Amino acid sequence: MHRRRNITLVAGLATAVVVAWACEREATVASPQAIKPLAHLFPGEALACFRLTGGGRIDQPEPPILMPQPMNTPDSRDFATFGFQARPNSCSAADGSGQIEWVEHSPNAVLDGFSFHGVVTWFVAVQDHYGAPGDRCGRFAGDGRLHGRDGTTAELPFIVEHACDRGEPGVGRDHIRICIGTADPTVCNAGFAPYRRDGILTGGNIQKHNLGA
C-alpha cells in the first residue's frame, strides 16, 4: 500500500525491518571494509567539521520548492516529533557519536505509531537538495531500538538522510528526512525503507555548531 504522504506504510513492518537489519549486519560481517569510517562516504558526501543539534515537529512531506508547511489537523495525529544531537568524532573521519529520539504519532503509521531511540555511529556533510550553498546539512546513521504501539520491539539500523540548518526558527525552514530499517542513503531516497518520513519543520529548530563549540 502506498500513499503520497510523508509516511511510507509497509505491510508487515516487523518482518521487513528485521530482515533488512539482518541483511545489513550480514553484509558488515562479510566485508571488513564496511566498518571503516571512510567506507560510509557516498557520492555527494564529504567529511564534516561541525555538529548538529535539533528538535521539533514535521507534518507535511517535503515539497519540491522550499516553502512554509502547515500543521496537519489535531484529530489526525499525523505528525512526528524528534530530538537529536550528532557529530563526527573528528574533522578527519566519518565515524561519529550522538543520539536521536523519534516519535511517530500517527495511528495510521506502521505499528500504529512508534517511538525510536537511535545511537549515532557515523556523521558526514551533505549538500542541501534545495540548493543552499555551503555546509548546512549533515547525514548521520547508526542503530537503535523501536517500540511500536502494538507491542512490537526491534533492533534496527537508521539513517537521517539529511538534517539541515537554514536559519532561525520559523524563518530558515529547517528540514529533515529519516529512514528506519536501513542505514543506506540510496535505499532511503529511493523510497524502499520500511519507514521513511521527511518534512520542513512546523515547530522547533535544527542548529549547526562548530565541532569544538
Side-chain angles (χ1 to χ4, degrees), residues 11 40 69 78 141 143 149 151 157 162 181-182 184 213:
H40 292 304
Q69 295 296 291
D78 184 7
D143 294 291
R149 288 200 186 95
H162 60 260
T182 182
D184 187 331

Side-chain angles (χ1 to χ4, degrees), residues 95-111:
D95 59 319
S97 59
Q99 299 184 60
I100 184 169
E101 298 284 346
W102 189 274
V103 181
E104 174 55 69
H105 296 267
S106 175
N108 296 319
V110 290
L111 308 182

Side-chain angles (χ1 to χ4, degrees), residues 166-188:
R166 293 189 58 103
E168 296 305 312
V171 178
R173 300 170 191 170
D174 298 344
H175 54 104
I176 189 169
R177 171 178 294 161
I178 189 173
C179 285
I180 299 174
T182 182
D184 187 331
T186 304
V187 174
C188 181

Side-chain angles (χ1 to χ4, degrees), residues 2-194:
H2 175 74
R3 300 177 184 176
R4 184 174 175 76
R5 297 171 59 189
N6 45 350
I7 302 174
T8 301
L9 302 178
V10 179
L13 173 70
T15 300
V17 293
V18 169
V19 169
W21 174 73
C23 290
E24 290 203 5
R25 286 301 191 187
E26 182 178 353
T28 299
V29 172
S31 175
Q33 296 294 323
I35 63 173
K36 293 184 178 180
L38 290 180
H40 292 304
L41 288 174
F42 288 81
E45 297 176 338
L47 295 177
C49 200
F50 61 88
R51 63 185 180 90
L52 291 173
T53 59
R57 165 176 168 154
I58 58 173
D59 291 73
Q60 303 288 333
E62 288 183 346
I65 300 174
L66 188 68
M67 62 181 66
Q69 295 296 291
M71 289 185 176
N72 290 323
T73 58
D75 60 331
S76 74
R77 292 160 54 197
D78 184 7
F79 64 95
T81 54
F82 67 92
F84 73 85
Q85 51 92 11
R87 57 181 293 153
N89 290 335
S90 74
C91 296
S92 59
D95 59 319
S97 59
Q99 299 184 60
I100 184 169
E101 298 284 346
W102 189 274
V103 181
E104 174 55 69
H105 296 267
S106 175
N108 296 319
V110 290
L111 308 182
D112 304 324
F114 60 86
S115 61
F116 179 80
H117 173 78
V119 177
V120 177
T121 57
W122 61 270
F123 184 107
V124 296
V126 292
Q127 291 297 308
D128 190 338
H129 64 269
Y130 284 118
D135 291 330
R136 294 173 177 262
C137 304
R139 176 178 291 162
F140 54 92
D143 294 291
R145 187 166 185 83
L146 178 147
H147 294 269
R149 288 200 186 95
D150 69 348
T152 299
T153 62
E155 301 284 342
L156 302 168
F158 77 94
I159 182 168
V160 172
E161 195 279 330
H162 60 260
C164 298
D165 175 9
R166 293 189 58 103
E168 296 305 312
V171 178
R173 300 170 191 170
D174 298 344
H175 54 104
I176 189 169
R177 171 178 294 161
I178 189 173
C179 285
I180 299 174
T182 182
D184 187 331
T186 304
V187 174
C188 181
N189 286 332
F192 296 138

